[in-house]
């Protein structure tokens, strides 16, 4: 029995109908579930196996399917059951729809935790193999089953690596998602973990809600105390029992190298590069800039030589924590390394200690876009902004599979909860909120839900300043999409952008497909549908998407696109006025500048014209258009790229 059963057991859920055990599809359609296709983008494998036989023990999970995969029968994880033997599946499922529980990781991050849609049911579809990854046939089969089961939201922490350019006709996620959206199912996908490289975002089809990852205002500090009680803030999770006073000798790994060792490898605490006599009994300062071995590898190397502990220099891992168990290991920034080196050089007998980890809340700034979060622009076309939205994906505490001794520090019982990071973690945050929006607005389409989430997103951090990336630069739509997801505003967005099925079909026309090829993608195409006579990739900008992207921009020629808004705020008269946030050098004009809605469901359109006195742009430009009536703010980001910007197109 996996631990997720325990976390969700009988907490305020109505009894599951008897059909669940005999006919899972029937039960799912009656209960309306949030379905999960799950794979770790962090490791490019997820093994999400929930026990089908145990459906009777629980009222939260109402369906679990596994698909035939040609595993090696001798493989360590060989199984054809939907049981979680890896942990990641349990983690993302509880993030999406877990009930309220008291949670912590051995006392760290203690408090009350719940998923994004705690009242939702869960149906799980295992499509991945630990040996062969996730096959397209399994992904498509799972989509078909989820559609037949009648789920409301599909959450996919799954995707190709950056640089794998799959055409829409060959991308099983894009194909399956199109079919799901045609059946009224919102599809939420991870953006990928290959950031901060430009154009690394995956799952870029416009009918998918693509999620980037951000930090939260909680960090985990394992501080270093130097001689003289100077404190350097470190990161990572350790349950060290070192003395709290700085009594342990401190050495820089470079100074502990063997005579014949390479200096770069030695200062990175590489295997066989350090002198045991110089390391024994000391805390060792290790660099981590040659990509040769992991932080855990450095820890093992130091401990093998009798070292007391390790301080690792890594700007990225300083924020995204690694768990070191009882080993005294902490991670610092390159800036703080300079202070430690200065201290070592200032005294004959440098000393230090490493303190056990503590949780720090109300950390500032937050949120910040994580370094690993994949970035736009889309490799398919610059006329759609991707990612769409950002959500928490760093050091996320959620349920973990049972009896996982590998995740337990020495001398401790296996954890009920665990902390991991990735866009796999940010995806179910959005899926849960999408399910909540759907429950409050059951007639809304996937595009309406997507619009509500995007147009109500947050752009300001807890310092009341623009949200930034890990490098400190202001996040652009290529980093954050429309912004950081809000938890309550999407329930009442005021206005929505309804992207119709015809919009998506026209997108495929503009992308370069003919009707015959489009029919191989869409589950059904209206009999009278034909591609517009004028079908160029630039016209993708005209589909009624909540964001606006203009490519191949020639400033003096200008470009005009239109958008249509639908009133979902009731029948009372509402007048919205527009405000434009445009960068220097770009002129943006909206006509009309006011929209007057008098009834629920009313649709009104506006045009946006982009122009510039510049003949061409030196870089991509970003801004936003916001409609407001004093109660609601409906914001759409825009991106304008020059004719010199290039995008990979695969067909």
């Amino acid at each position: 029995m996996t631990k997720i059963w325990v976390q969700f057991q009988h907490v305020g859920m109505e009894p599951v109908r008897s059909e669940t055990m005999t006919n899972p599809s029937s039960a799912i359609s009656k209960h309306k579930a949030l379905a999960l296709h799950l794979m770790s983008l962090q490791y490019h494998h997820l093994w999400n196996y929930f026990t089908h036989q145990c459906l009777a023990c629980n009222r939260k999970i109402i369906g679990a399917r596994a698909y035939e995969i040609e595993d090696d029968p001798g493989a360590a994880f060989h199984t054809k059951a939907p049981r979680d033997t890896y942990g990641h599946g349990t983690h993302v499922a509880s993030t999406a729809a877990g009930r309220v529980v008291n949670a912590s990781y051995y006392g760290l991050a203690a408090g009350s935790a719940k998923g994004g849609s705690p009242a939702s049911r869960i149906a799980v579809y295992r499509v991945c193999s630990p040996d062969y990854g996730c096959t397209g046939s399994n992904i498509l089969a799972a989509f078909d089953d989820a559609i037949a089961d009648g789920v409301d939201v599909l959450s996919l922490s799954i995707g190709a690596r950056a640089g794998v350019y799959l055409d829409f006709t060959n991308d099983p996620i894009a194909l399956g998602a199109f079919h799901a959206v045609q059946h009224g199912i919102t599809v939420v996908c991870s953006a990928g973990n290959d950031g901060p490289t430009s154009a690394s975002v995956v799952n870029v089809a416009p009918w998918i809600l693509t999620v980037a990852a951000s930090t939260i205002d909680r960090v985990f500090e394992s501080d270093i105390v130097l001689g003289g009680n100077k404190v350097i803030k470190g990161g990572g999770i350790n349950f060290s029992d070192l003395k709290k006073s700085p009594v342990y000798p401190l050495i820089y790994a470079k100074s502990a190298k063997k005579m014949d060792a390479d200096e770069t490898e030695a200062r990175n605490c590489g295997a066989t590069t350090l002198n045991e006599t110089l390391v024994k009994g000391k805390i060792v300062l290790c660099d981590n800039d040659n990509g040769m071995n992991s932080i855990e590898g450095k820890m093992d190397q130091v401990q093998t030589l009798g070292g007391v502990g390790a301080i690792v220099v890594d700007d990225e891992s300083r924020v995204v924590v690694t768990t070191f168990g009882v080993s005294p290991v902490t991670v610092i920034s390159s800036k703080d390394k300079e202070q430690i080196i200065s201290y070592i050089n200032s005294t004959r007998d440098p000393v230090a200690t490493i303190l056990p980890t503590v949780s720090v809340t109300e950390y500032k700034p937050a949120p910040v876009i994580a370094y690993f979060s994949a970035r736009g622009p889309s490799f398919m076309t610059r006329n759609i902004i991707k990612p769409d939205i950002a959500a928490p994906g760093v050091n996320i505490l959620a349920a973990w599979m049972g009896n996982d001794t590998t995740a337990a520090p020495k001398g401790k019982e296996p954890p009920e909860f665990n902390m991991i990071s990735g866009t796999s973690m940010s995806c179910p945050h959005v899926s849960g909120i999408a399910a909540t929006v759907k429950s409050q607005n059951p007639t809304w389409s996937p595009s309406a839900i997507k619009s509500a989430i995007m147009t109500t997103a947050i752009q300001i951090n807890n310092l009341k300043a623009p949200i930034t990336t890990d490098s400190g630069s202001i996040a652009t739509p290529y980093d954050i999409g429309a912004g950081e997801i809000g938890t309550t505003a999407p329930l009442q967005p005021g206005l929505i952008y309804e992207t119709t099925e015809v919009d998506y079909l026209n997108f495929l026309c503009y992308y370069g497909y003919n009707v015959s090829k489009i029919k191989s993608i869409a589950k059904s195409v209206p009999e009278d549908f034909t591609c517009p006579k004028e079908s160029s990739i630039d016209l993708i900008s005209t589909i009624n998407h909540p964001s606006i992207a203009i490519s191949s921009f020639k400033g003096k020629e200008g470009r005009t696109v239109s958008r249509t808004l639908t009133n979902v705020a009731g029948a009372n008269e509402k007048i919205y006025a527009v405000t434009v946030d445009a960068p220097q050098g770009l002129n943006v004009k909206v006509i009309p500048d006011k929209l007057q809605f008098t009834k629920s469901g009313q649709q009104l359109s506006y045009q946006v014209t982009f122009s510039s006195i510049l003949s061409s742009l030196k870089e991509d430009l970003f801004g936003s258009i916001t409609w407001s009536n004093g109660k609601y703010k409906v914001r759409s980001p825009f991106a304008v790229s020059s004719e010199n910007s290039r995008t990979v197109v695969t067909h």
Side-chain angles (χ1 to χ4, degrees):
M1 183 181 296
T2 61
K3 186 53 65 176
I4 193 167
W5 302 113
V6 175
Q7 304 311 328
F8 294 144
Q9 190 174 15
H10 294 284
V11 186
M13 303 296 290
E14 65 182 70
V16 178
R17 304 175 190 224
S18 60
E19 300 99 314
T20 303
M21 276 58 76
T22 58
N23 186 348
S25 298
S26 173
I28 291 170
S29 64
K30 286 181 171 64
H31 284 286
K32 300 303 261 183
L34 184 155
L36 302 167
H37 288 242
L38 306 170
M39 185 183 91
S40 169
L41 277 168
Q42 193 166 9
Y43 301 101
H44 295 276
H45 291 82
L46 166 76
W47 310 293
N48 183 52
Y49 318 131
F50 289 102
T51 309
H52 183 73
Q53 291 84 351
C54 285
L55 286 171
C57 13
N58 188 285
R59 295 174 182 171
K60 171 62 74 169
I61 300 175
I62 59 173
R65 299 179 186 267
Y67 298 85
E68 293 294 325
I69 300 172
E70 295 180 0
D71 283 347
D72 176 359
F77 292 98
H78 180 70
T79 178
K80 291 183 179 179
R83 177 187 289 273
D84 185 0
T85 58
Y86 192 62
H88 184 288
T90 305
H91 194 281
V92 295
S94 62
T95 301
R99 299 291 291 183
V100 179
V101 293
N102 291 320
S104 77
Y105 182 70
Y106 299 107
L108 294 175
S112 178
K114 66 177 180 179
S117 182
S120 289
R121 311 284 186 174
I122 296 175
V124 181
Y125 303 79
R126 177 213 168 193
V127 299
C128 300
S129 158
D131 301 298
Y132 303 107
C134 308
T135 64
S137 58
N138 284 350
I139 292 171
L140 288 171
F143 266 111
D144 284 346
D145 285 338
I147 291 167
D149 290 341
V151 303
D152 293 302
V153 178
L154 275 164
S155 183
L156 289 87
S157 292
I158 177 174
R161 291 181 182 273
V164 178
Y165 302 124
L166 294 175
D167 188 74
F168 291 123
T169 58
N170 297 317
D171 183 345
I173 296 176
L175 287 168
F178 198 105
H179 296 177
V181 168
Q182 284 186 301
H183 284 84
I185 301 169
T186 300
V187 181
V188 186
C189 294
S190 299
N193 292 343
D194 290 315
T197 304
S198 177
S200 55
V201 62
V202 297
N203 295 322
V204 297
W207 47 87
I208 291 172
L209 182 48
T210 310
V211 188
S214 60
T215 65
I216 59 177
D217 64 349
R218 179 187 64 214
V219 297
F220 300 95
E221 288 188 3
S222 172
D223 293 344
I224 303 151
V225 183
L226 304 175
N229 292 320
K230 167 75 172 178
V231 176
I232 302 292
K233 294 185 182 299
I237 295 177
N238 77 69
F239 300 96
S240 163
D241 60 358
L242 292 186
K243 294 179 181 179
K244 296 187 183 302
S245 56
V247 297
Y248 305 97
L250 174 65
I251 190 170
Y252 183 25
K254 176 181 173 182
S255 302
K257 85 178 195 69
K258 290 180 177 178
M259 292 292 294
D260 59 347
D262 178 82
E263 182 177 297
T264 298
E265 290 186 23
R267 64 179 177 78
N268 278 272
C269 293
T272 73
T273 63
L274 300 180
N275 185 313
E276 181 176 359
T277 302
L278 296 175
V279 169
K280 190 172 183 178
K282 294 183 177 68
I283 292 174
V284 182
L285 175 65
C286 306
D287 288 325
N288 192 34
D289 58 16
N290 68 343
M292 294 300 292
N293 60 336
S294 65
I295 295 176
E296 294 89 342
K298 301 175 195 301
M299 173 184 74
D300 292 342
Q301 177 67 12
V302 169
Q303 289 182 330
T304 298
L305 298 176
V308 171
I311 302 168
V312 180
V313 184
D314 190 313
D315 290 316
E316 295 175 347
S317 297
R318 169 66 180 83
V319 176
V320 180
V321 300
T322 303
T323 300
F324 305 111
V326 297
S327 299
V329 181
T330 189
V331 182
I332 63 169
S333 67
S334 53
K335 182 178 180 180
D336 287 331
K337 171 196 171 182
E338 296 174 4
Q339 295 188 58
I340 295 178
I341 293 294
S342 177
Y343 164 69
I344 290 173
N345 293 334
S346 71
T347 180
R348 178 178 297 179
D349 299 307
V351 290
T353 192
I354 297 172
L355 301 180
T357 300
V358 295
S359 303
V360 177
T361 57
E362 299 183 8
Y363 181 82
K364 295 180 175 63
V368 171
I369 298 301
Y371 74 87
F372 60 77
S373 185
R375 305 306 215 271
S378 165
F379 64 87
M380 301 295 277
T381 171
R382 286 177 177 259
N383 292 291
I384 290 287
I385 293 175
K386 289 286 178 173
D388 294 306
I389 197 75
V394 176
N395 307 333
I396 302 303
L397 179 72
W400 199 244
M401 66 178 184
N403 302 317
D404 182 11
T405 56
T406 63
K410 185 178 180 180
K412 295 183 181 292
E413 293 295 316
E416 293 187 344
F417 304 90
N418 204 354
M419 277 181 285
I420 51 179
S421 301
T423 54
S424 286
M425 283 68 256
S426 59
C427 174
H429 280 84
V430 175
S431 303
I433 292 173
T436 301
V437 174
K438 180 70 173 180
S439 70
Q440 297 295 311
N441 303 279
T443 63
W444 282 13
S445 68
S447 69
I449 293 171
K450 179 179 181 179
S451 174
I453 288 172
M454 290 178 63
T455 60
T456 59
I458 301 162
Q459 295 78 44
I460 302 298
N461 64 22
N462 58 2
L463 289 175
K464 297 183 179 181
I467 294 172
T468 64
T469 68
D470 64 293
S471 68
S473 62
I474 294 176
T476 74
Y478 293 163
D479 307 310
I480 200 173
E484 177 83 359
I485 191 169
T487 55
T488 57
L491 299 173
Q492 294 182 312
L495 305 173
I496 58 169
Y497 292 92
E498 191 76 73
T499 313
T500 66
E501 182 178 334
V502 172
D503 278 319
Y504 294 137
L505 296 175
N506 282 338
F507 164 84
L508 295 171
C509 292
Y510 301 149
Y511 190 68
Y513 295 149
N514 57 33
V515 173
S516 176
K517 205 166 189 179
I518 291 171
K519 287 181 177 179
S520 72
I521 297 173
K523 195 170 186 68
S524 61
V525 176
E527 289 186 8
D528 59 348
F529 177 79
T530 58
C531 283
K533 290 182 179 180
E534 185 181 355
S535 291
S536 72
I537 198 164
D538 289 342
L539 290 174
I540 290 173
S541 301
T542 65
I543 72 168
N544 201 45
H545 201 257
S547 60
I548 300 173
I550 304 292
S551 70
S552 303
F553 181 69
K554 298 178 181 178
K556 293 182 179 179
E557 292 183 9
R559 189 81 64 80
T560 298
V561 298
S562 64
R563 289 292 187 269
T564 298
L565 284 161
T566 302
N567 177 31
V568 293
N572 295 331
E573 180 178 304
K574 296 171 180 65
I575 300 176
Y576 288 80
V578 71
T579 57
V580 176
D581 178 17
Q584 187 174 1
L586 184 68
N587 301 317
V588 182
K589 187 174 184 180
V590 179
I591 299 175
D593 60 3
K594 287 185 174 60
L595 296 175
Q596 183 174 351
F597 294 90
T598 58
K599 58 184 179 180
S600 182
Q602 182 180 1
Q603 294 186 326
L604 295 175
S605 299
Y606 65 92
Q607 288 188 326
V608 188
T609 298
F610 298 88
S611 62
S612 176
I613 59 173
L614 304 173
S615 57
S616 64
L617 304 179
K618 294 182 179 179
E619 59 184 1
D620 292 4
L621 299 178
F622 309 98
S624 63
I625 295 166
T626 303
W627 292 94
S628 176
N629 71 341
K631 180 178 181 180
Y632 301 108
K633 288 186 177 181
V634 185
R635 180 182 180 274
S636 294
F638 64 73
V640 179
S641 56
S642 73
E643 58 182 328
N644 297 320
S645 299
R646 292 290 179 261
T647 298
V648 174
V649 178
T650 61
H651 65 277

